[in-house]
Amino acid sequence: MAEGRIMKALSGFYYVQSGEELYACKGRGLFRKQKITPLVGDFVVFDKSADSEGYIQEIKPRKTELSRPPIANVDQAMIVSSVNMPPFSSLLLDRFLVFIESKQIQPIIVINKVDLADEEELEMIKEYKTIYEKVGYRVLLFSAKQRDDMMDIKTLFQEKITVFAGQSGVGKSSILNAIKPSLTLETAHISKSLGRGRHTTRHVELLNINGGLVADTPGFSVVDFSHISKEELGLCFPEIKTLQPYCKFRGCLHDKEPGCAVKNAVNSKEIATYRYNHYLQFLEEIQLRKPRY
């Protein structure tokens, strides 16, 4: 028996790194019966056989898990937005932040294509950067053409598993190509008529970059809140989570309740109005969700 980490899943095989070797493994039939799927990022126990092959016998407990992309034990997510092409959307960014927070994964905001921004757009992005940094997020303004920007991102990979998230066309693969040119990940041209990119990344793989592991994952523009309850939503907004204990009523949803510390903070400009409006929009979405039996 040996232990290792799944680095890639492709065509029914799980490629497990153990020491310097990479083993092409199959999962036990038992996993299928138990409806357990090994994921990239899993720590596993496997039977080694000849010719660098094997069978996965056990999956170690996961600290985090994503279903899209299917990956386990992620430490941080770099949520990539772009200044334009496609245009920056604070609503879409907040959807990603809520989703990543709900998975107990550390978000880092990367706003790409700053080299394409005009003066007005750059001013707007800097204002958003200030707001998100006040909330407690790390925000990087990025241009794949700037060497210093690449060094800033590279230092964040060390000893962590990082996923990239964000809608198609924002430049996730382009950023990875700029950071490690030998990867030559396929990049898509933006469809001018649609204003978004085509999906270009076909499987999940962990790539060794700067002392850490990075997954290049498909861009997706919609995140699902089906796993988040109305009571949990406030915990996914750090500025709301901090004030929640000071609300008059336990279980306050910060909507129509009196004595709400969050609404007071919005009125006094301590919480950005647009962030609170997004919270209310997501709350309504969750409340209108059809129950699943």
Side-chain angles (χ1 to χ4, degrees), residues 76 154-160 209-212:
Q76 59 188 14
K154 272 185 172 182
T155 57
L156 300 174
F157 292 154
Q158 289 177 4
E159 296 180 9
K160 296 217 167 30
I209 298 180
N210 216 52

mmCIF file of all heavy atoms in Angstrom, residues 76 154-160 209-212:
data_model
loop_
_atom_site.group_PDB
_atom_site.id
_atom_site.type_symbol
_atom_site.label_atom_id
_atom_site.label_comp_id
_atom_site.label_asym_id
_atom_site.label_seq_id
_atom_site.Cartn_x
_atom_site.Cartn_y
_atom_site.Cartn_z
ATOM 1 N N GLN A 76 -7.655 27.983 -1.533
ATOM 2 C CA GLN A 76 -8.043 29.337 -1.928
ATOM 3 C C GLN A 76 -8.551 29.352 -3.365
ATOM 4 O O GLN A 76 -8.189 28.494 -4.175
ATOM 5 C CB GLN A 76 -6.873 30.308 -1.762
ATOM 6 C CG GLN A 76 -5.643 29.953 -2.574
ATOM 7 C CD GLN A 76 -4.436 30.819 -2.259
ATOM 8 O OE1 GLN A 76 -4.395 31.529 -1.260
ATOM 9 N NE2 GLN A 76 -3.426 30.776 -3.113
ATOM 10 N N LYS A 154 2.180 34.961 -8.147
ATOM 11 C CA LYS A 154 2.984 33.753 -7.923
ATOM 12 C C LYS A 154 3.245 33.484 -6.440
ATOM 13 O O LYS A 154 3.219 32.348 -5.991
ATOM 14 C CB LYS A 154 4.329 33.875 -8.658
ATOM 15 C CG LYS A 154 4.303 33.398 -10.092
ATOM 16 C CD LYS A 154 5.721 33.456 -10.652
ATOM 17 C CE LYS A 154 5.789 32.815 -12.028
ATOM 18 N NZ LYS A 154 7.165 32.830 -12.562
ATOM 19 N N THR A 155 3.515 34.566 -5.695
ATOM 20 C CA THR A 155 3.846 34.383 -4.274
ATOM 21 C C THR A 155 2.669 33.806 -3.484
ATOM 22 O O THR A 155 2.862 33.215 -2.423
ATOM 23 C CB THR A 155 4.261 35.723 -3.625
ATOM 24 O OG1 THR A 155 3.194 36.663 -3.803
ATOM 25 C CG2 THR A 155 5.520 36.279 -4.252
ATOM 26 N N LEU A 156 1.438 33.958 -4.009
ATOM 27 C CA LEU A 156 0.253 33.484 -3.279
ATOM 28 C C LEU A 156 0.010 31.984 -3.441
ATOM 29 O O LEU A 156 -0.805 31.408 -2.735
ATOM 30 C CB LEU A 156 -0.990 34.248 -3.753
ATOM 31 C CG LEU A 156 -0.953 35.768 -3.569
ATOM 32 C CD1 LEU A 156 -2.173 36.412 -4.198
ATOM 33 C CD2 LEU A 156 -0.874 36.129 -2.092
ATOM 34 N N PHE A 157 0.704 31.337 -4.383
ATOM 35 C CA PHE A 157 0.465 29.917 -4.648
ATOM 36 C C PHE A 157 1.150 28.987 -3.647
ATOM 37 O O PHE A 157 0.747 27.838 -3.493
ATOM 38 C CB PHE A 157 0.962 29.537 -6.055
ATOM 39 C CG PHE A 157 0.167 30.142 -7.181
ATOM 40 C CD1 PHE A 157 0.749 30.359 -8.427
ATOM 41 C CD2 PHE A 157 -1.159 30.505 -7.012
ATOM 42 C CE1 PHE A 157 0.028 30.915 -9.471
ATOM 43 C CE2 PHE A 157 -1.886 31.067 -8.051
ATOM 44 C CZ PHE A 157 -1.294 31.267 -9.276
ATOM 45 N N GLN A 158 2.199 29.457 -2.995
ATOM 46 C CA GLN A 158 3.073 28.574 -2.222
ATOM 47 C C GLN A 158 2.317 27.768 -1.165
ATOM 48 O O GLN A 158 1.547 28.310 -0.370
ATOM 49 C CB GLN A 158 4.195 29.380 -1.561
ATOM 50 C CG GLN A 158 5.214 29.873 -2.596
ATOM 51 C CD GLN A 158 6.294 30.741 -1.989
ATOM 52 O OE1 GLN A 158 6.348 30.926 -0.782
ATOM 53 N NE2 GLN A 158 7.152 31.289 -2.829
ATOM 54 N N GLU A 159 2.558 26.429 -1.209
ATOM 55 C CA GLU A 159 2.024 25.470 -0.221
ATOM 56 C C GLU A 159 0.506 25.502 -0.124
ATOM 57 O O GLU A 159 -0.067 25.244 0.935
ATOM 58 C CB GLU A 159 2.660 25.720 1.160
ATOM 59 C CG GLU A 159 4.155 25.457 1.145
ATOM 60 C CD GLU A 159 4.812 25.696 2.491
ATOM 61 O OE1 GLU A 159 4.087 25.907 3.476
ATOM 62 O OE2 GLU A 159 6.056 25.677 2.535
ATOM 63 N N LYS A 160 -0.153 25.843 -1.225
ATOM 64 C CA LYS A 160 -1.616 25.875 -1.225
ATOM 65 C C LYS A 160 -2.141 25.197 -2.487
ATOM 66 O O LYS A 160 -1.445 25.121 -3.499
ATOM 67 C CB LYS A 160 -2.115 27.320 -1.204
ATOM 68 C CG LYS A 160 -1.746 28.097 0.071
ATOM 69 C CD LYS A 160 -2.858 29.018 0.462
ATOM 70 C CE LYS A 160 -2.776 29.613 1.840
ATOM 71 N NZ LYS A 160 -1.499 29.853 2.422
ATOM 72 N N ILE A 209 2.988 25.008 -9.660
ATOM 73 C CA ILE A 209 3.412 26.377 -9.966
ATOM 74 C C ILE A 209 3.913 27.046 -8.689
ATOM 75 O O ILE A 209 3.190 27.153 -7.693
ATOM 76 C CB ILE A 209 2.259 27.227 -10.557
ATOM 77 C CG1 ILE A 209 1.775 26.614 -11.887
ATOM 78 C CG2 ILE A 209 2.716 28.657 -10.798
ATOM 79 C CD1 ILE A 209 0.644 27.384 -12.545
ATOM 80 N N ASN A 210 5.182 27.426 -8.712
ATOM 81 C CA ASN A 210 5.773 28.232 -7.640
ATOM 82 C C ASN A 210 5.544 27.653 -6.240
ATOM 83 O O ASN A 210 5.110 28.354 -5.327
ATOM 84 C CB ASN A 210 5.224 29.663 -7.702
ATOM 85 C CG ASN A 210 6.304 30.673 -7.316
ATOM 86 O OD1 ASN A 210 7.392 30.643 -7.879
ATOM 87 N ND2 ASN A 210 6.030 31.539 -6.373
ATOM 88 N N GLY A 211 5.814 26.376 -6.084
ATOM 89 C CA GLY A 211 5.729 25.751 -4.749
ATOM 90 C C GLY A 211 4.321 25.448 -4.291
ATOM 91 O O GLY A 211 4.089 25.152 -3.124
ATOM 92 N N GLY A 212 3.353 25.524 -5.205
ATOM 93 C CA GLY A 212 1.967 25.184 -4.861
ATOM 94 C C GLY A 212 1.319 24.429 -5.999
ATOM 95 O O GLY A 212 1.944 24.152 -7.023
#
